[in-house]
Amino acid sequence: MRSATETQITHRARLWLYTTAILVMVFLVIPTLLVIPMSFSASQYLEFPPSKWSLRWYESYFNSKSWMDATATSLKAGVLTALFATPIATMAAYGLHVARLRHSNMLLMLLLTPIVIPNILIGIGIFYVYVQLKLVNSMLGLVLAHSMLAIPVVMLVVGSALKTFDLDQELVARSLGASRIKAFWMVTLPQIKFSVITGAVLAFLTSFDEIIVALFVSGGPNSTLTRNMFNALRDQVDPTIAAVSTLIVLVTTLLLVITQYVGRDK
């Protein structure tokens, strides 16, 4: 049987690993995919499997001003979060990598605390600060809050890329007269750009999919899509959320596939 790797391990010997991976993927993916057929139901309530098929809930979504406004808010907040968080996180990851500080690991852990602390605690803290600064229900406040959650994610991705990058190449450029900024821009960034792009996509998705912090800091004209979904479930079981969920799954999957396609030869 053909070897799976250069170590002469056959695919048959790895059959248990493939089976385990498939079972884990099924366990994680199927609950997400169940919402797709539910979104095409003609029933007034969430129904699986649908007894009748219809596009009524997609029509309800696209014809609803509140849903469209919330979608526009989430897209805008996601793009602004990616544009704001990605360069900051990239600079932070680069600074920690080249500084060689004695307590750099401790500093890194402090910067990663937003993804360790429960979002509900972060949301409560941000809300009380925003009340004083009058940033509640503002786009600026929403972007800043989401950026705080996205920066650690981008740092992890870019930091991993920097660990495989040979800094001697940048040092050579600087020895030839390039400034640190120019050396980073001309030498380092082109070689880690796929990780930076991946980090930007993850920053967008962190903002686009976030719900807990959005419940505290968004509302009114700046209500996010996920907040509207939560309200739809709280007030009544509106099957429109199945259509919205399907579109979110589609957007998320499409972005990740495009990112992997762009970086497959990197």
Side-chain angles (χ1 to χ4, degrees):
M1 180 174 288
R2 188 166 58 90
S3 299
T5 66
E6 296 179 356
T7 59
Q8 303 303 312
I9 299 177
T10 64
H11 288 289
R12 179 177 297 173
R14 283 193 168 185
L15 184 60
W16 67 271
L17 181 61
Y18 299 150
T19 303
T20 303
I22 291 173
L23 290 176
V24 171
M25 289 179 63
V26 168
F27 177 76
L28 295 175
V29 172
I30 281 186
T32 302
L33 298 181
L34 286 179
V35 75
I36 297 178
M38 294 171 65
S39 69
F40 293 98
S41 173
S43 173
Q44 185 68 27
Y45 307 99
L46 292 175
E47 182 183 49
F48 182 85
S51 56
K52 293 183 179 180
W53 300 86
S54 172
L55 294 174
R56 63 177 296 189
W57 301 118
Y58 288 93
E59 294 175 359
S60 174
Y61 167 69
F62 286 109
N63 292 330
S64 171
K65 184 178 185 303
S66 62
W67 281 114
M68 289 293 98
D69 289 345
T71 302
T73 297
S74 288
L75 291 173
K76 184 178 179 180
V79 171
L80 292 176
T81 297
L83 293 175
F84 183 73
T86 303
I88 292 178
T90 301
M91 289 187 291
Y94 175 77
L96 286 174
H97 183 69
V98 301
R100 310 293 185 183
L101 298 175
R102 180 179 178 183
H103 301 293
S104 58
N105 288 335
M106 183 180 297
L107 183 58
L108 176 62
M109 291 303 299
L110 289 174
L111 292 173
L112 296 181
T113 50
I115 61 176
V116 178
I117 297 175
N119 282 8
I120 184 69
L121 299 180
I122 295 176
I124 293 172
I126 291 176
F127 174 75
Y128 281 105
V129 172
Y130 278 13
V131 168
Q132 302 299 322
L133 299 177
K134 298 182 179 181
L135 289 175
V136 178
N137 299 341
S138 68
M139 178 58 69
L140 175 60
L142 184 62
V143 170
L144 291 177
H146 284 176
S147 295
M148 185 176 66
L149 300 175
I151 285 174
V153 177
V154 182
M155 281 187 60
L156 288 174
V157 176
V158 176
S160 298
L162 287 171
K163 289 181 179 179
T164 63
F165 173 71
D166 185 5
L167 278 177
D168 289 342
Q169 299 179 48
E170 185 178 307
L171 293 175
V172 170
R174 292 171 58 191
S175 69
L176 295 175
S179 63
R180 178 181 288 274
I181 295 177
K182 188 174 183 179
F184 172 80
W185 188 263
M186 300 295 294
V187 178
T188 305
L189 186 59
Q191 298 190 55
I192 65 169
K193 64 180 180 181
F194 175 62
S195 295
V196 175
I197 293 173
T198 301
V201 171
L202 292 177
F204 172 84
L205 293 177
T206 298
S207 171
F208 191 71
D209 296 338
E210 205 284 320
I211 170 60
I212 298 178
V213 173
L215 289 174
F216 286 92
V217 303
S218 71
N222 289 315
S223 181
T224 64
L225 188 60
T226 50
R227 180 186 173 91
N228 271 28
M229 293 174 67
F230 178 84
N231 291 337
L233 282 174
R234 183 192 62 187
D235 300 334
Q236 59 180 345
V237 182
D238 184 358
T240 305
I241 64 172
V244 179
S245 300
T246 300
L247 293 174
I248 290 178
V249 170
L250 180 62
V251 169
T252 301
T253 303
L254 187 62
L255 283 175
L256 293 177
V257 169
I258 292 175
T259 302
Q260 293 302 313
Y261 178 78
V262 171
R264 63 180 181 175
D265 297 326
K266 301 299 181 182

